[in-house]
Amino acid sequence: AQSVAQPEDQVNVAEGNPLTVKCTYSVSGNPYLFWYVQYPNRGLQFLLKYITGDNLVKGSYGFEAEFNKSQTSFHLKKPSALVSDSALYFCAVRDEGSNYQLIWGAGTKLIIKP
Amino acid sequence: DAGVIQSPRHEVTEMGQEVTLRCKPISGHNSLFWYRQTMMRGLELLIYFNNNVPIDDSGMPEDRFSAKMPNASFSTLKIQPSEPRDSAVYFCASSRGGGGAYEQYFGPGTRLTVT
């Protein structure tokens, strides 16, 4: 069965420090992986995706994510956190063979403290 | 591009009333999704349309929920009659394709409160 796990409900980081939001997945075939961000009272915004190729994917707002096939992970990273990065982050996966179904993680609340 | 447009942004209604949520997808996108978000259940897919045709409505909670897409630029989600447990944020999302590597673009959502 396909699944996504975001093992941390909340991540706290000091402003200026690097941040990592973790995501692991399980699919039967090759994965398409996505990260979204949700600010309070807003819809989800697409940040970046992994399809194939380079394991390090760069996205919006200085975020990047590293695909690790052996660990079935797709962790979201940023070298230097901003207070404005505080939001809810969702990881999602689609099996290459799936027609449309996106499997969503439960979300990780990221809090950046000044 | 204006992005996905949803209306209303907030809806407060009494139990038993009919509620209609509206969505305008991004022009050129052929896939449309309705989601519901709650603290308890997270993000749930309610229904998926491709080229205006409902493909999967297995996520629709019960017969009180119905969705239509009469044309490529408009979709509605209707709840009749509404119940307090329907209180949630409802999102519409669209994409260039239903699957593959296509990402979904979300609207701002409709926050529904049923009293």
Side-chain angles (χ1 to χ4, degrees):
Chain A
Q2 301 177 69
S3 65
V4 173
Q6 293 183 242
E8 301 152 318
D9 290 337
Q10 182 169 309
V11 172
N12 298 294
V13 178
E15 186 177 27
N17 282 1
L19 68 87
T20 298
V21 182
K22 296 179 180 177
C23 172
T24 58
Y25 66 90
S26 175
V27 295
S28 55
N30 292 319
Y32 295 131
L33 292 150
F34 305 82
W35 274 103
Y36 286 78
V37 60
Q38 185 179 26
Y39 298 102
N41 300 315
R42 303 283 293 276
L44 282 71
Q45 295 180 37
F46 169 70
L47 276 179
L48 51 80
K49 66 182 177 183
Y50 172 81
I51 305 171
T52 186
D54 194 345
N55 290 341
L56 187 64
V57 179
K58 294 187 182 298
S60 306
Y61 311 122
F63 283 94
E64 58 189 25
E66 187 169 12
F67 172 64
N68 188 315
K69 187 172 183 177
S70 63
Q71 297 185 5
T72 62
S73 67
F74 189 55
H75 301 332
L76 183 69
K77 300 180 180 183
K78 188 173 183 180
S80 178
L82 300 172
V83 173
S84 57
D85 293 330
S86 298
L88 190 57
Y89 289 80
F90 291 93
C91 180
V93 67
R94 179 184 290 127
D95 190 300
E96 183 183 37
S98 171
N99 47 2
Y100 63 90
Q101 188 75 269
L102 255 184
I103 308 302
W104 293 89
T108 298
K109 186 175 184 179
L110 177 64
I111 298 177
I112 309 299
K113 298 183 178 180
Chain B
D1 199 316
V4 176
I5 298 172
Q6 290 187 250
S7 64
R9 291 294 310 276
H10 302 273
E11 178 78 41
V12 180
T13 191
E14 292 183 347
M15 183 174 63
Q17 296 299 305
E18 177 180 297
V19 175
T20 299
L21 311 182
R22 297 172 175 81
C23 174
K24 176 179 170 56
I26 293 172
S27 177
H29 285 189
N30 68 355
S31 295
L32 185 138
F33 306 81
W34 281 100
Y35 287 92
R36 179 171 67 177
Q37 185 180 40
T38 61
M39 290 291 292
M40 291 294 294
R41 301 174 68 90
L43 200 61
E44 302 173 276
L45 176 65
L46 300 177
I47 187 168
Y48 159 56
F49 290 89
N50 184 261
N51 291 322
N52 312 337
V53 176
I55 303 299
D56 182 0
D57 65 355
S58 61
M60 297 286 262
E62 48 199 91
D63 292 345
R64 298 184 296 106
F65 285 69
S66 63
K68 294 181 179 179
M69 193 165 185
N71 57 62
S73 58
F74 184 65
S75 177
T76 60
L77 178 67
K78 185 178 293 186
I79 308 173
Q80 166 64 16
S82 58
E83 296 183 3
R85 59 188 167 131
D86 301 331
S87 297
V89 181
Y90 291 81
F91 289 106
C92 175
S94 70
S95 68
R96 291 188 183 279
Y102 293 110
E103 63 273 18
Q104 297 175 13
Y105 292 88
F106 283 72
T110 296
R111 183 174 296 275
L112 174 64
T113 302
V114 183
T115 61

PDB file of all heavy atoms in Angstrom, chain A residues 3-19:
ATOM      1  N   SER A   3       1.971   4.964   1.026  1.00  0.00           N
ATOM      2  CA  SER A   3       1.855   5.767   2.238  1.00  0.00           C
ATOM      3  C   SER A   3       2.939   6.825   2.293  1.00  0.00           C
ATOM      4  O   SER A   3       3.960   6.728   1.603  1.00  0.00           O
ATOM      5  CB  SER A   3       1.942   4.886   3.488  1.00  0.00           C
ATOM      6  OG  SER A   3       3.221   4.302   3.585  1.00  0.00           O
ATOM      7  N   VAL A   4       2.675   7.838   3.103  1.00  0.00           N
ATOM      8  CA  VAL A   4       3.636   8.896   3.370  1.00  0.00           C
ATOM      9  C   VAL A   4       3.666   9.131   4.869  1.00  0.00           C
ATOM     10  O   VAL A   4       2.607   9.189   5.502  1.00  0.00           O
ATOM     11  CB  VAL A   4       3.242  10.208   2.658  1.00  0.00           C
ATOM     12  CG1 VAL A   4       4.172  11.338   3.085  1.00  0.00           C
ATOM     13  CG2 VAL A   4       3.292  10.030   1.158  1.00  0.00           C
ATOM     14  N   ALA A   5       4.846   9.283   5.416  1.00  0.00           N
ATOM     15  CA  ALA A   5       4.978   9.560   6.843  1.00  0.00           C
ATOM     16  C   ALA A   5       5.775  10.836   7.054  1.00  0.00           C
ATOM     17  O   ALA A   5       6.840  11.031   6.454  1.00  0.00           O
ATOM     18  CB  ALA A   5       5.657   8.394   7.552  1.00  0.00           C
ATOM     19  N   GLN A   6       5.239  11.707   7.849  1.00  0.00           N
ATOM     20  CA  GLN A   6       5.966  12.876   8.323  1.00  0.00           C
ATOM     21  C   GLN A   6       6.101  12.661   9.821  1.00  0.00           C
ATOM     22  O   GLN A   6       5.146  12.887  10.565  1.00  0.00           O
ATOM     23  CB  GLN A   6       5.211  14.162   7.979  1.00  0.00           C
ATOM     24  CG  GLN A   6       5.148  14.419   6.485  1.00  0.00           C
ATOM     25  CD  GLN A   6       4.469  15.732   6.141  1.00  0.00           C
ATOM     26  OE1 GLN A   6       3.447  15.761   5.480  1.00  0.00           O
ATOM     27  NE2 GLN A   6       5.050  16.831   6.598  1.00  0.00           N
ATOM     28  N   PRO A   7       7.239  12.183  10.261  1.00  0.00           N
ATOM     29  CA  PRO A   7       7.361  11.692  11.634  1.00  0.00           C
ATOM     30  C   PRO A   7       7.276  12.750  12.717  1.00  0.00           C
ATOM     31  O   PRO A   7       7.049  12.430  13.880  1.00  0.00           O
ATOM     32  CB  PRO A   7       8.739  11.024  11.633  1.00  0.00           C
ATOM     33  CG  PRO A   7       9.482  11.687  10.533  1.00  0.00           C
ATOM     34  CD  PRO A   7       8.455  12.013   9.481  1.00  0.00           C
ATOM     35  N   GLU A   8       7.455  14.007  12.357  1.00  0.00           N
ATOM     36  CA  GLU A   8       7.420  15.081  13.346  1.00  0.00           C
ATOM     37  C   GLU A   8       6.169  15.923  13.164  1.00  0.00           C
ATOM     38  O   GLU A   8       5.927  16.458  12.079  1.00  0.00           O
ATOM     39  CB  GLU A   8       8.668  15.964  13.217  1.00  0.00           C
ATOM     40  CG  GLU A   8       9.958  15.200  13.404  1.00  0.00           C
ATOM     41  CD  GLU A   8      11.117  15.840  12.641  1.00  0.00           C
ATOM     42  OE1 GLU A   8      10.924  16.264  11.489  1.00  0.00           O
ATOM     43  OE2 GLU A   8      12.227  15.892  13.216  1.00  0.00           O
ATOM     44  N   ASP A   9       5.386  16.045  14.245  1.00  0.00           N
ATOM     45  CA  ASP A   9       4.217  16.919  14.183  1.00  0.00           C
ATOM     46  C   ASP A   9       4.651  18.379  14.123  1.00  0.00           C
ATOM     47  O   ASP A   9       3.983  19.206  13.511  1.00  0.00           O
ATOM     48  CB  ASP A   9       3.333  16.705  15.408  1.00  0.00           C
ATOM     49  CG  ASP A   9       2.655  15.356  15.379  1.00  0.00           C
ATOM     50  OD1 ASP A   9       2.502  14.783  14.282  1.00  0.00           O
ATOM     51  OD2 ASP A   9       2.275  14.868  16.461  1.00  0.00           O
ATOM     52  N   GLN A  10       5.764  18.674  14.804  1.00  0.00           N
ATOM     53  CA  GLN A  10       6.219  20.058  14.889  1.00  0.00           C
ATOM     54  C   GLN A  10       7.754  20.077  14.903  1.00  0.00           C
ATOM     55  O   GLN A  10       8.389  19.200  15.490  1.00  0.00           O
ATOM     56  CB  GLN A  10       5.674  20.710  16.169  1.00  0.00           C
ATOM     57  CG  GLN A  10       6.039  22.176  16.331  1.00  0.00           C
ATOM     58  CD  GLN A  10       5.273  22.838  17.453  1.00  0.00           C
ATOM     59  OE1 GLN A  10       4.051  22.755  17.531  1.00  0.00           O
ATOM     60  NE2 GLN A  10       5.991  23.510  18.345  1.00  0.00           N
ATOM     61  N   VAL A  11       8.287  21.087  14.242  1.00  0.00           N
ATOM     62  CA  VAL A  11       9.737  21.308  14.228  1.00  0.00           C
ATOM     63  C   VAL A  11       9.987  22.749  14.634  1.00  0.00           C
ATOM     64  O   VAL A  11       9.365  23.672  14.085  1.00  0.00           O
ATOM     65  CB  VAL A  11      10.335  21.036  12.831  1.00  0.00           C
ATOM     66  CG1 VAL A  11      11.794  21.460  12.779  1.00  0.00           C
ATOM     67  CG2 VAL A  11      10.193  19.566  12.464  1.00  0.00           C
ATOM     68  N   ASN A  12      10.853  22.934  15.592  1.00  0.00           N
ATOM     69  CA  ASN A  12      11.213  24.273  16.067  1.00  0.00           C
ATOM     70  C   ASN A  12      12.658  24.573  15.683  1.00  0.00           C
ATOM     71  O   ASN A  12      13.559  23.779  15.959  1.00  0.00           O
ATOM     72  CB  ASN A  12      11.047  24.366  17.582  1.00  0.00           C
ATOM     73  CG  ASN A  12       9.626  24.143  18.017  1.00  0.00           C
ATOM     74  OD1 ASN A  12       8.731  24.912  17.728  1.00  0.00           O
ATOM     75  ND2 ASN A  12       9.394  23.051  18.724  1.00  0.00           N
ATOM     76  N   VAL A  13      12.856  25.738  15.066  1.00  0.00           N
ATOM     77  CA  VAL A  13      14.187  26.130  14.606  1.00  0.00           C
ATOM     78  C   VAL A  13      14.395  27.607  14.904  1.00  0.00           C
ATOM     79  O   VAL A  13      13.452  28.410  14.776  1.00  0.00           O
ATOM     80  CB  VAL A  13      14.339  25.879  13.091  1.00  0.00           C
ATOM     81  CG1 VAL A  13      15.703  26.337  12.586  1.00  0.00           C
ATOM     82  CG2 VAL A  13      14.114  24.401  12.762  1.00  0.00           C
ATOM     83  N   ALA A  14      15.584  27.966  15.280  1.00  0.00           N
ATOM     84  CA  ALA A  14      15.912  29.382  15.479  1.00  0.00           C
ATOM     85  C   ALA A  14      16.178  30.043  14.134  1.00  0.00           C
ATOM     86  O   ALA A  14      16.737  29.425  13.211  1.00  0.00           O
ATOM     87  CB  ALA A  14      17.132  29.507  16.380  1.00  0.00           C
ATOM     88  N   GLU A  15      15.749  31.277  14.028  1.00  0.00           N
ATOM     89  CA  GLU A  15      15.969  32.036  12.787  1.00  0.00           C
ATOM     90  C   GLU A  15      17.448  32.040  12.436  1.00  0.00           C
ATOM     91  O   GLU A  15      18.306  32.239  13.303  1.00  0.00           O
ATOM     92  CB  GLU A  15      15.457  33.460  12.957  1.00  0.00           C
ATOM     93  CG  GLU A  15      15.511  34.295  11.692  1.00  0.00           C
ATOM     94  CD  GLU A  15      14.918  35.680  11.882  1.00  0.00           C
ATOM     95  OE1 GLU A  15      14.937  36.179  13.028  1.00  0.00           O
ATOM     96  OE2 GLU A  15      14.415  36.252  10.896  1.00  0.00           O
ATOM     97  N   GLY A  16      17.732  31.809  11.156  1.00  0.00           N
ATOM     98  CA  GLY A  16      19.113  31.791  10.700  1.00  0.00           C
ATOM     99  C   GLY A  16      19.738  30.423  10.685  1.00  0.00           C
ATOM    100  O   GLY A  16      20.762  30.202  10.021  1.00  0.00           O
ATOM    101  N   ASN A  17      19.158  29.500  11.435  1.00  0.00           N
ATOM    102  CA  ASN A  17      19.683  28.131  11.460  1.00  0.00           C
ATOM    103  C   ASN A  17      19.127  27.325  10.287  1.00  0.00           C
ATOM    104  O   ASN A  17      18.076  27.654   9.740  1.00  0.00           O
ATOM    105  CB  ASN A  17      19.301  27.438  12.768  1.00  0.00           C
ATOM    106  CG  ASN A  17      20.186  27.890  13.929  1.00  0.00           C
ATOM    107  OD1 ASN A  17      21.071  28.735  13.759  1.00  0.00           O
ATOM    108  ND2 ASN A  17      19.941  27.342  15.109  1.00  0.00           N
ATOM    109  N   PRO A  18      19.821  26.255   9.910  1.00  0.00           N
ATOM    110  CA  PRO A  18      19.267  25.390   8.864  1.00  0.00           C
ATOM    111  C   PRO A  18      18.063  24.616   9.386  1.00  0.00           C
ATOM    112  O   PRO A  18      17.976  24.324  10.582  1.00  0.00           O
ATOM    113  CB  PRO A  18      20.428  24.445   8.541  1.00  0.00           C
ATOM    114  CG  PRO A  18      21.286  24.467   9.755  1.00  0.00           C
ATOM    115  CD  PRO A  18      21.141  25.830  10.362  1.00  0.00           C
ATOM    116  N   LEU A  19      17.137  24.301   8.486  1.00  0.00           N
ATOM    117  CA  LEU A  19      15.968  23.536   8.882  1.00  0.00           C
ATOM    118  C   LEU A  19      15.823  22.295   8.007  1.00  0.00           C
ATOM    119  O   LEU A  19      16.227  22.280   6.842  1.00  0.00           O
ATOM    120  CB  LEU A  19      14.700  24.387   8.814  1.00  0.00           C
ATOM    121  CG  LEU A  19      14.183  24.833   7.443  1.00  0.00           C
ATOM    122  CD1 LEU A  19      13.264  23.786   6.826  1.00  0.00           C
ATOM    123  CD2 LEU A  19      13.447  26.152   7.542  1.00  0.00           C
TER     124      LEU A  19
END
